[in-house]
Amino acid sequence: MSKITAAITGINGYVPDYVLTNDELATMVDTNDEWIVSRTGIKERRILKGSGKGVSIMAVEAVKGLLQKTKTAPEEIDAIICATITPDLTFPATSNLIAQKVGAKNAFGFDLAAACSGFLFALSTGAKFIESGSHKKIIVIGADKMSSILDYKDRTTCIIFGDGAGAALLESNHEDLGIQDAILKSDGSGEQYLNIKAGGSRYPASLGTVQNHEHYVYQEGSAVFKFAVTKMAGVAKEIMDRNDLKGSDIAWLVPHQANKRIIDATAKLMQVPDDKVMMNISRYGNTTGGTIPLCLWDYEAQLKKGDNLILAAFGGGFTWASIYLKWAYSPEN
Ligand code: UT7
């Protein structure tokens, strides 16, 4: 019997309708469109408005569309892995809520917290269930409602992030397409530069934590920037080298969308030209777990069977990762 690989056989995304522009942000904090565009590449981001709406609302929309376009019945799904750092609730897991809402009655599920590298960690985890032969159809989601953890009085963080969700269907492949290799890394010493201080078991929510704004993202931007450039570019280069890939072998670089300058530095080290780099940061900002599946969704029509893709990410933790995969299908005519 031929080797089983795990391949993405469908991709879908969802972003909320509300567009938060740089100009609107400039009415909320001391910033301006020119600064944001030149430092980050972001022009606008989407926000999930309305009370009582968790990240699962976006993920459910992404999954429903995915099931429809891949002609998959919800009962066929064996597992749902949701990469998120903004779950609906501390528990139960958001993946369980999604499974229930889409009718995936036979699926088990769990959430995975690896911040901006979450989708790659989840994709690699899901692939292991497929490669072992134990499971046939797995949905991997990257989704975050970053607006729920941002201080819209802090200009250093609120301009960067947005809300969005992407979902991929993973299935077995016998043509050696799909995931070829993965490098996953983490380093907890990064906590000091990027975290949310309160709300966990160390500092549970209290009047004081709310008054001190300790439920919002804290980031030392320029320190994180330096790590991000080194680690994301480094891990992408490492996976190329160990698979004997040159820049000219890569059909697409699919980078986490945190800052256009970090993406450009990664592409430069890999010697991949700009027109082979997926980029949608200008429209969505940094959707954390959502960026990579949202890129794949945006560029799906340009992807061809057999294309070599390098996925790369860096984020809170610190976490960083790269996946080398061969795309498994061409667009339908
Ligand atoms: O995805 C998860 C991982 N996160 C990342 O990868 C993010 C990495 N970091 C970054 O992308 C960048 O560091 C930022 C976009 C967050 C900031 O850009 P920067 O070029 O590193 O700026 P900076 O923090 O060094 O700040 C430069 C100046 C400062 O003013 P002074 O001290 O030079 O007078 C800031 O106060 O820019 C000021 N500044 C702003 N000005 C206008 C900071 N934020 C803003 C703002 N608008 N929104």
Side-chain angles (χ1 to χ4, degrees):
M1 208 174 97
S2 64
K3 185 179 141 200
I4 304 174
T5 51
I8 293 176
T9 55
I11 186 87
N12 198 46
Y14 176 82
V15 288
D17 292 337
Y18 191 86
V19 179
L20 177 58
T21 62
N22 290 347
D23 286 340
E24 186 178 351
L25 275 170
T27 67
M28 298 152 73
V29 287
D30 181 14
T31 191
N32 57 75
D33 178 61
E34 196 278 327
W35 191 97
I36 300 173
V37 172
S38 65
R39 297 288 179 123
T40 69
I42 301 167
K43 292 183 179 146
E44 58 191 40
R45 67 290 290 142
R46 301 299 183 96
I47 303 295
L48 183 63
K49 291 274 188 184
S51 65
K53 290 187 178 175
V55 69
S56 69
I57 292 206
M58 297 186 291
V60 163
E61 290 305 315
V63 171
K64 279 185 179 166
L66 178 68
L67 293 172
Q68 203 170 20
K69 75 194 271 195
T70 58
K71 301 183 177 61
T72 306
E75 297 82 5
E76 290 177 61
I77 301 303
D78 296 314
I80 295 181
I81 307 174
C82 182
T84 187
I85 52 159
T86 50
D88 277 33
L89 307 164
T90 303
F91 77 90
T94 304
S95 62
N96 298 177
L97 309 178
I98 297 165
Q100 193 268 328
K101 285 182 191 160
V102 303
K105 294 183 187 132
N106 300 312
F108 76 97
F110 58 93
D111 292 356
L112 189 154
C116 302
S117 309
F119 184 76
L120 297 195
F121 280 33
L123 194 62
S124 181
T125 305
K128 302 300 174 196
F129 287 104
I130 302 286
E131 288 161 7
S132 72
S134 64
H135 296 74
K136 300 268 179 274
K137 290 178 194 274
I138 295 189
I139 291 181
V140 178
I141 300 164
D144 273 297
K145 184 186 171 187
M146 294 305 290
S147 61
S148 67
I149 54 170
L150 291 175
D151 183 353
Y152 284 96
K153 292 190 170 65
D154 175 6
R155 69 175 182 173
T156 68
T157 51
C158 73
I159 55 128
I160 308 169
F161 296 99
D163 301 338
L169 179 62
L170 267 183
E171 292 183 271
S172 57
N173 184 281
H174 296 274
E175 297 177 281
D176 205 24
L177 298 168
I179 292 165
Q180 308 290 307
D181 195 9
I183 301 175
L184 313 177
K185 299 277 185 183
S186 51
D187 175 2
S189 68
E191 177 199 347
Q192 63 185 301
Y193 304 109
L194 185 51
N195 63 55
I196 293 181
K197 187 171 178 185
S201 55
R202 200 192 298 169
Y203 299 113
S206 69
L207 188 55
T209 61
V210 172
Q211 283 169 340
N212 292 333
H213 293 214
E214 289 170 351
H215 295 274
Y216 295 127
V217 172
Y218 167 81
Q219 175 172 259
E220 286 180 31
S222 53
V224 176
F225 184 90
K226 283 180 203 132
F227 279 103
V229 168
T230 319
K231 299 299 188 187
M232 192 164 111
V235 76
K237 183 75 171 60
E238 186 183 342
I239 210 162
M240 284 174 70
D241 289 347
R242 82 180 194 187
N243 288 281
D244 292 324
L245 294 167
K246 299 183 295 297
S248 54
D249 298 320
I250 308 299
W252 293 99
L253 164 63
V254 193
H256 169 53
Q257 311 279 304
N259 187 316
K260 185 175 182 301
R261 291 183 289 146
I262 299 171
I263 296 170
D264 291 345
T266 303
K268 195 172 165 203
L269 187 73
M270 294 169 68
Q271 297 189 308
V272 171
D274 289 353
D275 62 353
K276 292 182 169 184
V277 180
M278 292 190 191
M279 190 104 72
N280 57 18
I281 189 169
S282 64
R283 290 182 290 135
Y284 303 146
N286 181 351
T287 55
T288 301
T291 62
I292 290 179
L294 284 173
C295 271
L296 291 171
W297 175 52
D298 267 358
Y299 284 77
E300 185 187 19
Q302 298 180 58
L303 295 172
K304 294 185 204 65
K305 187 173 176 178
D307 275 355
N308 284 328
L309 271 57
I310 299 287
L311 284 47
F314 177 87
F318 291 133
T319 57
W320 61 103
S322 187
I323 288 181
Y324 162 39
L325 65 82
K326 285 183 187 288
W327 196 248
Y329 60 96
S330 294
E332 284 176 24
N333 294 324

